[in-house]
């Protein structure tokens, strides 16, 4: 993540890491830490922060987050928040998962999404999902819908 963000920033990895850690500590009101000996909880929070920065800024990632994250739901929530496709990172629309469908005369602009299971997908992946079962799609890309 740091490598990809550094390239986007036009900084060396070392400089980007220092900038990102400083911003993370400032925004989370924490002390400076070393990645080599911090707690697993602190490391997870920092990774979540890095991922949020990457998604928010549309930074192309070398590796898919679904390949290395333990908490896929957090990633899916970030993608929903920033309207980025969970599969490819492109601009996305919301897909209402089975059991949370919006159709049948409901106005998408007026309906509450609270408690509904959703996932953010670009047009291409949204169409792909509708051409197979939702379960097959979720297994293929190692993603899941999350309740809002």
């Amino acid at each position: 993540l740091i490598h990809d963000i550094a390239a986007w920033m036009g900084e060396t990895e070392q400089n980007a890491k220092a900038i990102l850690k400083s911003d993370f500590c400032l925004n989370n009101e924490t002390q400076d830490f070393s990645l080599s000996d911090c707690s697993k909880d602190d490391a997870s929070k920092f990774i979540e922060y890095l991922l949020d920065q990457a998604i928010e800024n549309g930074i192309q990632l070398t590796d898919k987050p679904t390949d290395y994250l333990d908490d896929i739901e957090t990633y899916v929530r970030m993608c929903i928040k920033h309207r980025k496709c969970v599969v490819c990172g492109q601009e996305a629309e919301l897909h209402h998962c089975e059991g949370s469908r919006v159709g049948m005369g409901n106005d998408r602009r007026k309906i509450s999404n609270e408690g509904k299971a959703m996932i953010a997908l670009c047009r291409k992946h949204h169409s792909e999902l509708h051409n197979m079962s939702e379960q097959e799609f979720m297994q293929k890309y190692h993603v899941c819908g999350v309740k809002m």
Side-chain angles (χ1 to χ4, degrees), residues 2 12-24 32:
I2 291 174
T12 65
E13 284 186 47
Q14 188 173 7
N15 285 347
K17 182 177 168 182
I19 293 166
L20 292 163
K21 280 178 54 183
S22 176
D23 188 58
F24 173 78
D32 192 23

Side-chain angles (χ1 to χ4, degrees), residues 1-139:
L1 285 169
I2 291 174
H3 171 79
D4 294 333
I5 295 170
W8 176 81
M9 292 172 74
E11 293 281 351
T12 65
E13 284 186 47
Q14 188 173 7
N15 285 347
K17 182 177 168 182
I19 293 166
L20 292 163
K21 280 178 54 183
S22 176
D23 188 58
F24 173 78
C25 290
L26 182 66
N27 288 324
N28 290 283
E29 299 177 358
T30 64
Q31 299 291 324
D32 192 23
F33 60 96
S34 168
L35 292 172
S36 63
D37 67 354
C38 67
S39 71
K40 186 175 181 179
D41 186 52
D42 286 343
S44 293
K45 287 177 184 174
F46 186 58
I47 291 170
E48 188 175 314
Y49 161 80
L50 293 174
L51 190 55
D52 192 58
Q53 292 297 309
I55 293 169
E56 181 177 0
N57 291 294
I59 299 169
Q60 288 295 320
L61 300 176
T62 305
D63 299 313
K64 292 180 185 177
T66 54
D67 292 342
Y68 60 82
L69 283 176
D70 293 331
D71 185 5
I72 298 301
E73 286 188 19
T74 297
Y75 171 64
V76 173
R77 285 184 204 291
M78 286 181 201
C79 289
I80 291 169
K81 173 184 167 188
H82 297 295
R83 295 293 199 273
K84 300 291 183 179
C85 179
V86 297
V87 178
C88 67
Q90 298 298 313
E91 292 298 316
E93 53 197 35
L94 297 179
H95 167 75
H96 292 81
C97 298
E98 290 179 21
S100 296
R101 299 280 194 250
V102 173
M104 297 178 287
N106 292 311
D107 186 337
R108 291 179 183 272
R109 292 167 295 197
K110 294 181 181 177
I111 196 163
S112 169
N113 288 319
E114 188 174 334
K116 296 194 181 303
M118 306 172 80
I119 191 167
L121 298 168
C122 67
R123 172 66 7 223
K124 174 185 164 192
H125 288 109
H126 202 164
S127 295
E128 181 182 351
L129 181 144
H130 285 289
N131 288 322
M132 62 175 60
S133 81
E134 193 169 275
Q135 184 178 6
E136 287 174 308
F137 182 88
M138 300 294 187
Q139 288 174 344

